[in-house]
Amino acid sequence: MKALPFSGVYSASAALFATAVLAWRAGPVPPGPATTRAAFVPVALVTGAAVALLYIFLFNQSATTFGQLAELRREAKAGGKRAPRLAEVKYGGGSGAVLAADRLVGNYLEQLVPFLLSLFGHALFVSASRAAAFGWAWIFFRSYYGLVFRRPFPALLASTIPAYCCVWWMAGTAIHAAAALEM
């Protein structure tokens, strides 16, 4: 049962890699705010990579849950006890691995909306190429959140603080540039 979620992890990882290759091979973007669809291409590629990373995390969440379920069922069978149901493992809160996978997805979803808004705002009002650069940095910082979540505090800050700074910088400079426009 774990093979299906892991095939999703691998497929989404391949999509993320392919998107990064496309971004690397894309031609230069004119400096300044994006005024054409072509100027938005780097931002669209970052958006595609962010969605691929989301699916990596979602499929990992499923794989982790199914792995824990299989392990707990083996233990229950060996001990002559009732095997847990999927919902008990997924929503029961008894596994550190499931909690880490859940928090990885939950935190990513919490941060994805501010990231995308600041990414597109920065591209529209400041610079599409810089928005893409900050976007790739944000994806990198978010990519290892699951690893540092399991470490003692303050390791988690190695993922969250740099990612927040990317969002805050893009949002702040976009708001500043928009406020400077004459109406």
Side-chain angles (χ1 to χ4, degrees):
M1 193 61 152
K2 232 172 134 176
L4 184 61
F6 271 125
S7 70
V9 169
Y10 300 138
S11 298
S13 297
L16 177 60
F17 179 75
T19 306
V21 169
L22 285 172
W24 180 70
R25 294 180 65 196
V29 175
T35 56
T36 65
R37 288 188 329 176
F40 268 108
V41 167
V43 174
L45 292 170
V46 168
T47 302
V51 171
L53 188 59
L54 170 63
Y55 277 94
I56 290 169
F57 293 162
L58 288 169
F59 287 125
N60 175 69
Q61 182 184 38
S62 293
T64 302
T65 301
F66 284 123
Q68 287 294 303
L69 178 64
E71 184 179 322
L72 291 172
R73 284 182 173 171
R74 277 192 299 275
E75 290 173 5
K77 185 176 182 179
K81 297 179 181 176
R82 181 186 71 79
R85 294 186 311 263
L86 176 62
E88 292 170 336
V89 175
K90 187 171 176 92
Y91 305 112
S95 166
V98 172
L99 173 64
D102 289 347
R103 285 310 312 141
L104 175 60
V105 169
N107 191 271
Y108 191 80
L109 287 171
E110 291 164 4
Q111 297 304 315
L112 189 58
V113 172
F115 166 68
L116 290 174
L117 290 172
S118 66
L119 177 75
F120 278 87
H122 191 86
L124 184 61
F125 291 103
V126 183
S127 168
S129 61
R130 233 178 299 143
F134 276 103
W136 285 109
W138 183 86
I139 288 169
F140 171 73
F141 295 130
R142 299 308 306 178
S143 70
Y144 59 85
Y145 180 90
L147 298 174
V148 295
F149 180 83
R150 294 171 167 240
R151 315 285 277 152
F153 187 80
L156 187 62
L157 299 178
S159 171
T160 57
I161 297 299
Y164 294 158
C165 288
C166 290
V167 170
W168 294 336
W169 177 260
M170 289 189 296
T173 55
I175 291 166
H176 182 266
L181 294 176
E182 290 186 29
M183 299 233 201

